Coordinates of all heavy atoms in Angstrom, one line a residue:
G10 N 13.8 -5.9 5.2 CA 14.7 -7.0 5.4 C 14.1 -8.1 6.2 O 14.8 -9.1 6.4
K13 N 9.6 -10.0 3.9 CA 8.3 -9.9 3.4 C 8.2 -10.3 1.9 O 7.3 -11.1 1.5 CB 7.8 -8.4 3.5 CG 7.8 -7.9 4.9 CD 7.2 -6.5 5.0 CE 8.0 -5.4 4.2 NZ 9.4 -5.3 4.7
G14 N 9.1 -9.8 1.1 CA 9.1 -10.2 -0.3 C 9.3 -11.6 -0.5 O 8.6 -12.3 -1.3
T15 N 10.3 -12.2 0.2 CA 10.6 -13.6 0.1 C 9.4 -14.5 0.4 O 9.0 -15.4 -0.3 CB 11.8 -14.0 1.1 OG1 12.9 -13.1 0.7 CG2 12.2 -15.4 1.0
T31 N 4.2 -2.7 -3.1 CA 4.2 -1.3 -3.6 C 5.6 -0.9 -4.0 O 5.8 -0.2 -5.0 CB 3.6 -0.4 -2.5 OG1 4.1 -0.8 -1.2 CG2 2.1 -0.4 -2.5
R36 N 9.6 0.4 -8.3 CA 10.8 0.1 -9.0 C 10.6 -0.3 -10.4 O 11.4 0.1 -11.3 CB 11.6 -1.1 -8.3 CG 12.3 -0.6 -7.0 CD 13.1 -1.8 -6.4 NE 12.3 -2.7 -5.7 CZ 11.8 -2.6 -4.5 NH1 12.0 -1.6 -3.8 NH2 11.1 -3.6 -4.0
V57 N 12.8 7.4 2.6 CA 11.6 7.8 3.2 C 10.4 7.4 2.4 O 10.5 6.9 1.3 CB 11.6 9.4 3.4 CG1 12.7 9.8 4.3 CG2 11.6 10.1 2.1
V59 N 7.0 7.4 0.1 CA 6.4 8.2 -1.0 C 5.0 8.7 -0.5 O 4.4 8.1 0.4 CB 6.2 7.1 -2.2 CG1 5.4 7.8 -3.4 CG2 7.5 6.5 -2.6
G85 N 4.3 -4.3 1.9 CA 4.8 -2.9 1.9 C 3.7 -1.9 2.0 O 3.9 -0.7 1.9
R88 N 1.6 1.4 5.3 CA 3.0 1.6 5.8 C 3.0 2.7 6.9 O 4.0 3.1 7.4 CB 3.9 2.0 4.7 CG 5.2 1.4 4.8 CD 6.0 1.7 3.6 NE 7.3 1.3 3.6 CZ 7.8 0.2 3.0 NH1 7.0 -0.6 2.3 NH2 9.1 0.0 3.1
Q92 N -2.3 5.5 6.1 CA -2.6 4.5 5.0 C -3.4 3.3 5.6 O -4.3 2.8 4.9 CB -1.2 3.9 4.5 CG -0.4 4.9 3.6 CD 0.8 4.3 3.0 OE1 1.0 3.0 3.0 NE2 1.7 5.1 2.5
R127 N 22.0 -8.1 0.3 CA 21.1 -8.5 -0.7 C 21.5 -8.1 -2.1 O 22.0 -7.0 -2.4 CB 19.7 -7.9 -0.4 CG 18.7 -8.1 -1.5 CD 17.3 -7.8 -1.1 NE 17.1 -6.4 -0.7 CZ 16.0 -5.9 -0.2 NH1 15.0 -6.7 0.0 NH2 15.9 -4.6 0.1
R160 N 20.2 -3.1 -4.8 CA 19.2 -2.1 -4.8 C 19.7 -0.7 -4.4 O 20.6 -0.7 -3.5 CB 18.0 -2.5 -3.9 CG 16.8 -2.9 -4.6 CD 15.8 -3.5 -3.7 NE 15.2 -2.6 -2.7 CZ 14.2 -2.9 -1.9 NH1 13.6 -4.1 -2.0 NH2 13.8 -2.1 -1.0
R171 N 15.9 3.9 6.6 CA 14.6 3.1 6.4 C 14.2 2.4 7.7 O 13.0 2.4 8.0 CB 14.9 2.0 5.3 CG 14.9 2.6 3.9 CD 15.6 1.7 2.9 NE 14.8 0.4 2.7 CZ 15.4 -0.7 2.3 NH1 16.7 -0.7 1.9 NH2 14.7 -1.8 2.2
A199 N 14.0 -17.4 11.5 CA 14.2 -18.8 11.2 C 14.5 -19.0 9.7 O 14.3 -18.0 8.9 CB 12.9 -19.5 11.5
Ligands
LIG1 P1 9.9 -1.9 -0.2 O1 10.3 -2.4 -1.5 O2 8.6 -2.3 0.3 O3 11.1 -2.3 0.8 P2 11.1 -2.7 2.4 O4 9.8 -2.7 3.1 O5 12.1 -1.8 2.9 O6 11.4 -4.1 2.4 P3 12.5 -4.9 1.6 O7 12.0 -5.2 0.2 O8 13.8 -4.2 1.7 O9 12.7 -6.2 2.5 P4 11.8 -7.5 2.6 O10 11.2 -7.5 4.0 O11 10.9 -7.7 1.5 O12 12.9 -8.6 2.6 P5 13.4 -9.6 1.5 O13 12.4 -10.7 1.4 O14 13.8 -9.0 0.2 O15 10.0 -0.3 -0.2 C1 11.1 0.4 -0.7 C2 10.7 1.9 -0.7 O16 9.5 2.1 -1.5 C3 10.3 2.5 0.7 O17 11.5 2.9 1.4 C4 9.5 3.7 0.2 O18 10.2 4.8 -0.2 C5 8.7 3.1 -1.0 N1 7.4 2.6 -0.6 C6 7.0 1.3 -0.7 N2 5.8 1.1 -0.2 C7 5.4 2.3 0.2 C8 4.2 2.7 0.9 N3 3.2 1.9 1.1 N4 4.1 4.0 1.2 C9 5.0 4.9 0.9 N5 6.2 4.5 0.3 C10 6.4 3.2 0.0 O19 14.7 -10.2 2.2 C11 15.8 -9.4 2.4 C12 17.1 -10.3 2.3 O20 17.1 -11.3 3.3 C13 17.2 -11.1 1.0 O21 18.5 -11.1 0.5 C14 16.7 -12.5 1.3 O22 17.3 -13.5 0.5 C15 17.1 -12.6 2.8 N6 16.2 -13.4 3.6 C16 14.8 -13.3 3.6 N7 14.3 -14.1 4.5 C17 15.3 -14.8 5.0 C18 15.4 -15.9 6.0 N8 14.3 -16.3 6.7 N9 16.7 -16.3 6.4 C19 17.8 -15.8 5.7 N10 17.7 -14.8 4.8 C20 16.5 -14.4 4.5

Side-chain angles (χ1 to χ4, degrees):
K13 300 183 298 297
T15 304
T31 41
R36 280 186 289 279
V57 299
V59 176
R88 219 171 173 106
Q92 290 184 12
R127 173 168 58 186
R160 249 171 65 171
R171 285 162 62 202

